[in-house]
Amino acid sequence: MALPYYLLPLIAPLALVVSTIASFVSPGRRSRLAPGFAEIAALLALASAFGSLGILILSGPGESPLIGMAGIGLSVRLDAVSASMLLLVAFVGWIVVRYARTYLDGEARASAFTGWLCATLAAVLLLVQAGNLAQLVSGWIATSLCLHRLLLFYPDRVAARRAARKKLIFTRLGAASLIIAAVLLTFVYGTTDIAAINAAAREGDGSSLAVFATVLIALAALLKSAQFPTHGWLTEVMEAPTPVSALLHAGVINGGGFLLIRFADVMLLSPGTLAALAMLGGFTALFGALVMLTQPAVKTSLAWSTVAQMGFMTLQCGLGLFSLALLHIVAHSFYKAHAFLASGGAVDQVAAIRRPGPVAIPDGAAVGWAFLAAIAIYAAIGAAFGMMFGFHHKSPQSLALGAILIFGVAYLLAQGLADAAPRVLTRKTALYSVAAAAGYFALQTLAEWLTASVLPAPLAPGRLEWTLMVLAILSFGTVAVAQALFPLWAHHPAAAGLRVHLSNGLYINATLDRMLGGWSVRKAS
């Protein structure tokens, strides 16, 4: 039902657009107008997001009237997905704007930076609340263009220009894919309304053109979220100011996952496309996690962590676990924003740590017992939740995902079961392991309950899906075991060579740089 008060979320991007204009009309390194307006606009955006949540709770999911004609214009789709993303983007945006106010104080182009920062936030907010395809595509493109200006804030830095160059190529390819997909969906379903398109797809109303649109949507999402082998630019944006890194890794990079979640019903029309997402996402997650462990710099390690997390999110979408993917986006964004904004003090904190004695290194027996204990904890907690919440209705995909996550618990347990580990450490790792398993089932149940009326449940797995789940469990399990045992063979020459190759990302990014060597971008003014 279209109701006027569903237009409330539009206040958020409108306030930030006004702040953008104020930033560009008040240049100067000591301008107080631009940062002050930006912080007020960010607070208005956050208040608008909370107000939108209140409307959703009181009135339920719905959409606003269209401000435009022929299905083109501004309209708001307010549901659990858009409300979650609005709160996430508005809150992270407010924190980043406050941080940038002091971080760039005295910079010659601080006002311009504030303007492009607010413009980027406005574009993301328009994207996540879009009720029609035209607004969604426009927000998608505007987000990339504004982010490009932020990445080139220091245009004389070679690494910044190289990252922006690759990002621009992938952005154009992704935008073209999304535009074509939007045209196909409009033609197939006769409307630009996203809710109507998903409703028709949920009823099984699909054609070969709709299936082809899912391929294009998946391609746009993969390019947006820096999936292998297009991940290189994401690890090179460290030359941009820290607020850009926080906004990118905690907000903008989630655009690909949001796109898949928003068109979840449409994506279920093509199991083959979902399988491809699961395979590429799973590989990206493993690849990013392994490379992350070899990085000496804090911010670079965080960037590779984002690559891995975006891969895991894509794996979730590929398995049809869209509610868990949304939960993953929210949790990862808050963690990663804090990690980047606090990265400056991380080195000092690590340097201040004094190791009291020898490090407890688990042997093969400890690792084996740890994995058995982790599986036992997973089964026990799952059974407890099953008795309370009817866990037998859970999909095999969600159980497989939990099995993958429990490998992290096994790695934690292995440290406490090592021969040299004190009893205090053993008790703590056991308690943390139980808490982690219980937290997974609790949050999973909550996410599925909150999005039950918006996002579809995963389809019953066929032979292909079962194969992918088994491969994912075996792959992540193997890597977890190798990581736990790594201290035992870290000094082997083969391990040293592997570490060098992984620290360079297996030279995938270097190869791409060579292929694009003659391509350049203009410096930002």
Side-chain angles (χ1 to χ4, degrees):
M1 183 177 181
L3 296 172
Y5 51 78
Y6 280 100
L7 288 170
L8 176 64
L10 287 176
I11 293 177
L14 179 62
L16 289 163
V17 168
V18 172
S19 176
T20 299
I21 297 173
S23 298
F24 287 119
V25 299
S26 60
R29 69 175 62 197
R30 288 294 179 181
S31 173
R32 296 183 178 180
L33 183 62
F37 264 40
E39 190 166 344
I40 293 173
L43 278 173
L44 283 175
L46 183 58
S48 172
F50 276 108
S52 301
L53 177 63
I55 292 176
L56 177 63
I57 294 173
L58 295 175
S59 302
E63 57 187 14
S64 72
L66 176 70
I67 304 176
M69 57 185 300
I72 299 176
L74 296 176
S75 63
V76 175
R77 174 63 186 172
L78 189 58
D79 54 25
V81 175
S82 59
S84 299
M85 296 301 295
L86 280 170
L87 283 170
L88 170 65
V89 175
F91 181 74
V92 171
W94 173 56
I95 296 297
V96 171
V97 167
R98 280 183 60 84
Y99 184 88
R101 184 172 184 173
T102 54
Y103 183 87
L104 291 171
D105 186 32
E107 286 273 359
R109 297 172 54 243
S111 293
F113 178 89
T114 301
W116 286 116
L117 180 61
C118 290
T120 304
L121 286 170
V124 176
L125 288 168
L126 278 174
L127 169 66
V128 299
Q129 65 184 268
N132 65 87
L133 293 174
Q135 180 180 336
L136 184 138
V137 172
S138 299
W140 183 275
I141 295 173
T143 299
S144 297
L145 293 177
C146 295
L147 178 63
H148 182 72
R149 305 291 297 196
L150 291 175
L151 294 179
L152 286 175
F153 182 70
Y154 297 124
D156 295 327
R157 297 184 177 181
V158 176
R161 290 175 59 82
R162 184 170 60 240
R165 174 177 60 189
K166 286 181 287 193
K167 176 67 170 63
L168 188 58
I169 294 175
F170 301 141
T171 292
R172 290 176 174 177
L173 290 174
S177 298
L178 186 57
I179 291 172
I180 297 173
V183 171
L184 290 176
L185 291 175
T186 303
F187 177 78
V188 171
Y189 297 105
T191 179
T192 62
D193 185 85
I194 296 174
I197 291 172
N198 275 320
R202 184 174 294 190
E203 296 298 324
D205 185 4
S207 65
S208 57
L209 289 179
V211 172
F212 183 56
T214 66
V215 176
L216 295 173
I217 291 173
L219 178 60
L222 292 171
L223 292 171
K224 190 76 166 183
S225 293
Q227 296 298 280
F228 183 92
T230 66
H231 59 277
W233 67 269
L234 185 60
T235 64
E236 294 179 343
V237 296
M238 301 303 106
E239 293 295 324
T242 295
V244 179
S245 299
L247 178 63
L248 171 60
H249 289 262
V252 178
I253 196 66
N254 295 313
F258 168 77
L259 184 67
L260 295 173
I261 294 169
R262 178 48 82 199
F263 289 101
D265 292 290
V266 178
M267 297 305 298
L268 289 179
L269 295 174
S270 178
T273 302
L274 292 178
L277 286 171
M279 287 186 286
L280 189 57
F283 179 80
T284 302
L286 286 171
F287 174 71
L290 289 172
V291 176
M292 176 195 70
L293 297 174
T294 65
Q295 301 303 308
V298 174
K299 292 178 68 175
T300 304
S301 180
L302 288 174
W304 279 103
S305 169
T306 300
V307 172
Q309 294 294 333
M310 291 301 100
F312 200 76
M313 178 197 64
T314 303
L315 171 63
Q316 291 171 318
C317 291
L319 293 177
L321 300 170
F322 297 104
S323 60
L324 284 180
L326 178 63
L327 174 64
H328 191 162
I329 286 177
V330 174
H332 172 259
S333 295
F334 284 130
Y335 150 70
K336 196 53 64 75
H338 174 268
F340 267 103
L341 295 180
S343 60
V347 175
D348 294 335
Q349 294 175 7
V350 173
I353 296 176
R354 296 181 179 180
R355 299 190 180 275
V359 180
I361 299 178
D363 56 11
V367 171
W369 280 114
F371 272 79
L372 289 176
I375 294 173
I377 290 173
Y378 179 64
I381 298 296
F385 270 80
M387 289 185 289
M388 291 186 292
F389 301 104
F391 192 70
H392 58 280
H393 296 299
K394 295 295 183 182
S395 66
Q397 292 95 319
S398 62
L399 296 177
L401 182 68
I404 292 173
L405 292 176
I406 209 67
F407 293 142
V409 174
Y411 177 78
L412 177 66
L413 277 172
Q415 315 308 309
L417 294 177
D419 290 337
R423 291 184 178 181
V424 174
L425 179 60
T426 303
R427 289 195 296 267
K428 283 186 176 181
T429 54
L431 290 174
Y432 292 158
S433 301
V434 172
Y440 167 72
F441 286 115
L443 291 174
Q444 178 194 40
T445 302
L446 178 63
E448 291 177 347
W449 176 70
L450 290 175
T451 60
S453 62
V454 180
L455 297 177
L459 299 176
R463 183 178 299 176
L464 176 60
E465 288 75 19
W466 279 110
T467 303
L468 290 175
M469 286 188 284
V470 172
L471 286 175
I473 292 173
L474 291 177
S475 300
F476 280 91
T478 302
V479 171
V481 171
Q483 181 183 356
L485 294 175
F486 182 78
L488 299 178
W489 51 278
H491 300 292
H492 192 279
L498 178 62
R499 188 179 184 89
V500 170
H501 297 319
L502 284 175
S503 66
N504 287 281
L506 300 183
Y507 312 102
I508 302 297
N509 194 35
T511 302
L512 189 59
D513 286 338
R514 184 171 300 178
M515 294 171 59
L516 303 176
W519 205 87
S520 62
V521 296
R522 293 181 299 173
K523 294 183 179 181
S525 58

